[in-house]
Amino acid sequence: MFDQAYDVIVVGGGHAGAEAAAAAANMGSKTLLITMNLQTIGQMSCNPAMGGIAKGQIVREIDALGGYSGIVSDRSAIQFKMLNRSKGPAMWSPRVQSDRMLFAQYWRELLEKTPNLDFYQEMVEDLIVEGGTVKGIITSFGSKIFAKAVVLTTGTFLNGRIHIGEKSKGGGRAGEKAATGLTRTLTDCGFSSGRLKTGTPPRVDGRSLNYSLMEEQPGDHDPGTFSYLENIQPLVKQRSCHITYTNPQVHELLESGFDRSPMFNGKIQSTGPRYCPSIEDKIHRFRDKTRHQIFVEPEGWNTIEVYVNGFSTSLPDDVQYAALCLVPGFEDVKFFRPGYAIEYDYFPPTQLQHSLETKLVKNLFFAGQINGTTGYEEAAAQGLMAGINAHRALQEASPIVLQRDQAYIGVLIDDLITKGTEEPYRMFTSRAEYRTLLRQDNADQRLTPLGHSIGLAADERLAVLDRKQEKTMATLQFLQQQSYVPSELNPLLEEKGSALVQQAGKFAKVLARPKITRQDLLSQNVVKAFIKDNAIADQVFEQAEIQIKYSGYIEKEKQLAQKMQRMDHIKIPHDFDYYQLASLSHEAKEKLTEIQPVNLAQASRISGINPSDISVLLVHLNK
């Protein structure tokens, strides 16, 4: 079976591994997905949801490029919400609550239908590396499987250790063993490693909860989708989530167990996620808060299992249970399983190139939590790019590197490679300096032509985009050229508290007003007739509205991006000796030597590099 070498081997079947395997295989590489348990491909290890603030933009970008996460999320969704609607469109972020079992099922089905993709179940314990190039993998039973490129997506399994109170055991996820061997192999190759921590809350029996004491959180009245494909339909029915809150009694009881908590008694010394802390960490760090939100999330359409989001903990199970019983609605709660923390090995991502290929071993790629990230979406995005670039490396084609003004995925990877991380990295809109350009609504315009050009996004996707852009342009032209009649428009303006008009003007100027929306313009017969006669979908009308209302902001960010791109063109030679520049600060010499930036723009983003250091570099490079 393994007599012939594969083009690409993907190690691990989580979100990163699934996207990497699909991308490499769909682009034409003979690919093997090897994982410890084929029954857990695409499993949601933590919360049953995809998307959210900034993460929703990433899922749409994956879909626009031709990845599968958006399709799987839409098909397994039980609720859809567009977050941050009260803010500008740069902040809008789609999120779905998912059916956990359907999510994994759809991933498995899509992968099994993918040409060029084989599967194998076994733990990978070692790599075959010859002459600084990876040649394959060795399994725990000693089988050698050869490949031209290898993508490691090990998740939380590398020397994983699970903690519940004073009890701990090896494991990569509840009920699954840890992966051993690879950390030693990689450190023997010269890689440096570290330890990180993440956690998960209890799962409980939904029949034991009193939802009447909680706040219902229904989905959107007009749900959308992640995928841009036209055959993916929005939800017709949805399941509600609920919100409840902790209280001082809950906090007091939780604190009584701190002496038995691995976070406080020294058993856990690794760093956890700053922006998704455990409940004990919240209480310890935010003592002025008398309550914290608890999101009560169903795990699927036809299950009684409930995810207690916001109550991640590694406290002893008896303390977890007693405290949760004091939360309104949880008085008679029954556990399915307690929460736990997990520690695992990772490799600081400054050891990677922007293609996600390692600097030390040729054709070896890292993606997902092995790079220090947290979250399904961040992992899936890295997996997609690693799969793309592993395939292209074998074709001797230049890697696909998304820029910071091109995609949130570009921001994610550049942050990891340039700045590194000493805590689990999570994407936020605030990390993107060009977020007005990187909206969730235009990911297809930004990335589908690229995805199609490299052979990943299908012809169908490009055709859908072409139709959307054609109708958006027609709508813009109509609004910019069609005049309103003051007597017909003024009743709307008066109702909205907007200044009345005395003479005819264009509808685009009206839509540019802060209080006027595209829905308001449908009260004007000429606009309503145009939308109906030309079958203009609401998302197309929305595109036109955004471009009219925010044209000034969009243009400003484009100019800033172009200014930074000029620094992108100033290349820095590989293995440049920074110590020869006496005017550089000692910190700058150390950081620049470690990161080895490829151009002046990347150098400027390295933590600890100041403008004077960039000036010194610029003068020298110009010479």
Side-chain angles (χ1 to χ4, degrees):
M1 178 177 171
F2 299 130
D3 283 348
Q4 290 186 327
Y6 281 92
D7 292 321
V8 178
I9 290 177
V10 177
V11 180
H15 299 261
E19 286 287 5
N26 280 324
M27 293 175 74
S29 284
K30 182 66 176 174
T31 305
L32 174 70
L33 174 58
I34 182 168
T35 183
M36 291 194 295
N37 186 354
L38 288 174
Q39 308 310 312
T40 58
I41 286 177
Q43 181 166 313
M44 299 178 121
S45 305
C46 199
N47 62 317
M50 285 290 282
I53 296 171
K55 294 168 174 279
Q57 283 88 327
I58 289 176
V59 177
R60 298 214 91 185
E61 290 175 354
I62 292 170
D63 183 76
L65 283 165
Y68 285 162
S69 288
I71 296 171
V72 173
S73 298
D74 288 334
R75 288 181 174 172
S76 60
I78 63 175
Q79 185 192 88
F80 180 94
K81 270 197 167 185
M82 185 66 75
L83 306 181
N84 283 341
R85 273 289 194 185
S86 62
K87 300 179 181 179
M91 306 297 287
W92 299 349
S93 302
R95 181 186 189 271
V96 298
Q97 199 69 31
S98 301
D99 185 305
R100 186 187 298 277
M101 289 185 285
L102 281 179
F103 188 92
Q105 176 187 325
Y106 285 131
W107 250 123
R108 176 73 179 256
E109 289 177 2
L110 279 173
L111 290 173
E112 288 186 356
K113 292 175 183 175
T114 301
N116 303 314
L117 182 57
D118 291 345
F119 304 88
Y120 197 62
Q121 178 172 297
E122 201 174 330
M123 182 168 72
V124 174
E125 203 167 72
D126 205 347
L127 298 175
I128 304 169
V129 179
E130 298 175 2
T133 301
V134 71
K135 299 293 183 179
I137 55 100
I138 302 175
T139 71
S140 57
F141 286 123
S143 299
K144 292 184 177 181
I145 309 175
F146 293 92
K148 300 170 186 174
V150 173
V151 181
L152 294 184
T153 68
T154 51
T156 59
F157 283 78
L158 281 183
N159 292 326
R161 188 151 200 88
I162 292 173
H163 298 271
I164 303 177
E166 297 169 299
K167 298 175 286 188
S168 68
K169 64 175 183 177
R173 187 164 50 200
E176 297 180 64
K177 64 181 180 180
T180 57
L182 276 177
T183 296
R184 184 191 65 250
T185 296
L186 293 170
T187 53
D188 286 348
C189 288
F191 291 95
S192 62
S193 67
R195 295 281 279 178
L196 292 177
K197 176 194 83 77
T198 189
T200 191
R203 271 61 156 189
V204 304
D205 187 335
R207 298 171 300 182
S208 66
L209 304 182
N210 184 355
Y211 291 102
S212 67
L213 299 179
M214 308 179 195
E215 302 172 16
E216 185 178 6
Q217 295 288 303
D220 287 350
H221 292 298
D222 54 343
T225 60
F226 275 122
S227 181
Y228 290 95
L229 289 174
E230 292 178 335
N231 62 348
I232 304 294
Q233 297 300 312
L235 287 167
V236 176
K237 63 174 183 175
Q238 302 185 64
R239 284 202 67 177
S240 289
C241 297
H242 290 79
I243 288 181
T244 185
Y245 298 87
T246 62
N247 52 55
Q249 291 73 35
V250 174
H251 299 180
E252 185 178 345
L253 203 155
L254 288 169
E255 282 191 282
S256 72
F258 278 10
D259 61 327
R260 298 159 61 200
S261 166
M263 280 188 59
F264 297 107
N265 63 19
K267 289 189 82 173
I268 293 179
Q269 296 184 341
S270 51
T271 308
R274 179 194 305 261
Y275 302 105
C276 189
S278 64
I279 187 67
E280 55 263 43
D281 202 19
K282 291 179 191 175
I283 294 168
H284 180 70
R285 285 164 51 189
F286 307 109
R287 292 190 174 276
D288 57 318
K289 303 291 185 184
T290 59
R291 68 176 192 172
H292 296 284
Q293 282 184 325
I294 302 294
F295 297 91
V296 184
E297 302 177 345
E299 296 252 338
W301 289 113
N302 302 307
T303 179
I304 58 172
E305 189 170 356
V306 169
Y307 181 88
V308 190
N309 196 345
F311 206 86
S312 176
T313 180
S314 58
L315 284 164
D317 46 6
D318 59 313
V319 176
Q320 293 183 35
Y321 179 76
L324 204 51
C325 284
L326 297 176
V327 173
F330 282 76
E331 292 81 0
D332 299 313
V333 67
K334 293 180 181 179
F335 271 21
F336 273 15
R337 76 168 192 232
Y340 63 87
I342 181 166
E343 288 186 289
Y344 55 94
D345 292 342
Y346 87 108
F347 290 81
T350 52
Q351 301 170 100
L352 303 176
Q353 301 174 42
H354 274 85
S355 62
L356 297 181
E357 183 181 11
T358 67
K359 294 176 180 176
L360 291 176
V361 179
K362 184 176 174 59
N363 291 345
L364 177 63
F365 295 77
F366 292 174
Q369 285 175 288
I370 190 173
N371 291 336
T373 59
T374 180
Y376 307 145
E377 303 82 2
E378 291 89 343
Q382 294 170 72
L384 177 72
M385 300 311 297
I388 289 171
N389 287 325
H391 168 81
R392 289 179 66 85
L394 305 185
Q395 309 303 313
E396 297 185 353
S398 58
I400 299 300
V401 176
L402 300 177
Q403 303 303 310
R404 295 182 71 92
D405 63 335
Q406 193 177 7
Y408 270 91
I409 298 174
V411 176
L412 164 67
I413 294 175
D414 185 63
D415 276 357
L416 293 172
I417 306 312
T418 304
K419 301 175 182 177
T421 185
E422 295 179 351
E423 62 183 40
Y425 178 101
R426 180 180 181 179
M427 179 54 71
F428 291 101
T429 51
S430 58
R431 296 192 191 272
E433 60 270 48
Y434 307 114
R435 54 185 172 272
T436 305
L437 302 179
L438 308 182
R439 307 183 309 275
Q440 57 82 32
D441 59 89
N442 69 352
D444 54 345
Q445 297 172 50
R446 292 184 276 117
L447 298 174
T448 293
L450 171 62
H452 184 265
S453 71
I454 63 175
L456 189 57
D459 292 344
E460 176 191 0
R461 287 187 177 276
L462 198 61
V464 170
L465 173 61
D466 287 344
R467 289 194 294 271
K468 175 183 173 182
Q469 290 183 312
E470 182 182 325
K471 293 207 170 189
T472 300
M473 186 58 65
T475 306
L476 275 169
Q477 289 177 349
F478 168 80
L479 294 170
Q480 290 165 349
Q481 296 172 6
Q482 180 65 47
S483 297
Y484 54 77
V485 177
S487 61
E488 295 177 2
L489 183 64
N490 278 333
L492 168 65
L493 299 179
E494 186 174 11
E495 178 188 339
K496 290 291 180 176
S498 189
L500 303 183
V501 295
Q502 304 302 321
Q503 56 188 21
K506 308 303 181 186
F507 277 109
K509 290 195 69 174
V510 179
L511 188 54
R513 295 187 179 194
K515 297 180 180 179
I516 306 299
T517 68
R518 65 184 186 279
Q519 286 87 359
D520 295 329
L521 290 191
L522 292 176
S523 66
Q524 304 300 295
N525 289 330
V526 65
V527 176
K528 186 176 182 180
F530 171 83
I531 297 297
K532 181 180 179 182
D533 294 346
N534 292 276
I536 303 298
D538 186 62
Q539 64 172 354
V540 171
F541 201 180
E542 180 184 75
Q543 278 287 300
E545 178 183 29
I546 290 171
Q547 290 187 42
I548 288 171
K549 281 187 178 295
Y550 298 93
S551 59
Y553 299 101
I554 292 170
E555 190 56 39
K556 183 178 179 181
E557 282 198 1
K558 283 181 179 178
Q559 291 173 4
L560 288 172
Q562 288 167 2
K563 184 178 179 181
M564 186 57 70
Q565 283 169 7
R566 289 195 284 272
M567 293 179 69
D568 280 334
H569 294 305
I570 303 175
K571 304 297 182 184
I572 301 176
H574 182 62
D575 292 332
F576 182 81
D577 183 9
Y578 295 97
Y579 285 92
Q580 67 175 301
L581 304 181
S583 299
L584 278 181
S585 68
H586 182 70
E587 181 181 10
K589 292 174 184 176
E590 284 188 340
K591 293 283 183 68
L592 290 164
T593 301
E594 177 191 357
I595 304 298
Q596 286 293 314
V598 296
N599 55 46
L600 204 61
Q602 186 190 358
S604 71
R605 294 191 292 270
I606 297 174
S607 177
I609 304 300
N610 58 48
S612 64
D613 295 321
I614 297 300
S615 297
V616 170
L617 268 178
L618 181 60
V619 169
H620 185 83
L621 291 169
N622 281 337
K623 287 179 181 178

